[in-house]
Amino acid sequence: MGIDVSNATYWFTNTGSSAPTSIDVSQSGDNEKITYISPKLGGMLQAGVSYTPSTDAEDGKGPSATTSTHNVVEGTVLLTTDLAGVGIRTSVSALHGSNQGANNMNAYSAGLSLSYAGFTLGGGWGRNQNKGAATDGSAYNLGLAYATGPYGVSFGFHNGTANGANGDAGREDGVLVSELAMSYKVSDGVDFKSGVSYVQFEQDTETNPLNGGGAGYENDGWIWINGIYLSF
């Protein structure tokens, strides 16, 4: 439970906002890549790194010489430990990719969660640095969850902003998502989950004051999602 890529953004119409709806910095998707994940050192520290020749090379096509993003290098360090009965889980990630005929892409993220006596408090931040592109922006989220026996409840908040692209009249986009969720373990491998979310998309465009000043678009609404989750 909680928000990274919120379920709500799949069920509610976006006005065209480019604001990040995730703090995940991975831009390489499922394209062919080489990945190494280290053993967990000392039972708590682990690292991973990957190299993707091209983000336009899925399905065995091979690297493209004109792809928008290529030579993507990504790395993550994860720490999982306990301190005085408090569970600690934190990670930092970074990405660098070269763009054909445009600014290179750099992305960063960090996250931290603390757990104690059934409570988990977590938060994350991500920055997608792609100057002059509509996707240049940042996002953060916060969440609090409590679980006891078969029951669980959580509340999460996500905020994403995009700085806009060159030549888009100073457009700035934003997305806000709040989500209250609960879960119930029906039996081993069977869970019922339900969540209520409020979503707001905004697009703010600066226009010539002689033509009436700024213009903007906004869309918001509520979503109630229920589901049975099966695991084997």
Side-chain angles (χ1 to χ4, degrees), residues 47-193:
V49 63
S50 70
Y51 169 72
T52 305
S54 169
T55 58
D56 188 30
E58 71 256 350
D59 303 324
K61 292 188 299 183
S64 169
T66 59
T67 185
S68 59
T69 307
H70 55 280
N71 293 332
V72 179
V73 179
E74 305 163 77
T76 296
V77 177
L78 171 66
L79 173 67
T80 304
T81 187
D82 290 285
L83 182 62
V86 178
I88 302 172
R89 184 178 175 88
T90 184
S91 67
V92 292
S93 302
L95 173 148
H96 173 79
S98 300
N99 281 339
Q100 184 74 20
N103 293 308
N104 293 333
M105 176 180 291
N106 295 287
Y108 316 92
S109 73
L112 172 67
S113 70
L114 306 173
S115 58
Y116 180 77
F119 288 93
T120 300
L121 175 65
W125 168 86
R127 172 77 169 98
N128 186 15
Q129 194 174 27
N130 194 8
K131 187 176 180 180
T135 54
D136 181 82
S138 62
Y140 70 87
N141 56 36
L142 298 169
L144 177 65
Y146 177 72
T148 178
Y151 302 97
V153 63
S154 69
F155 176 78
F157 172 81
H158 174 93
N159 177 56
T161 58
N163 298 324
N166 293 333
D168 65 359
R171 193 184 80 184
E172 293 185 356
D173 297 347
V175 58
L176 296 172
V177 182
S178 299
E179 186 174 67
L180 178 64
M182 61 81 62
S183 66
Y184 175 73
K185 184 176 181 179
V186 180
S187 63
D188 289 340
V190 181
D191 295 274
F192 170 76
K193 297 186 180 183

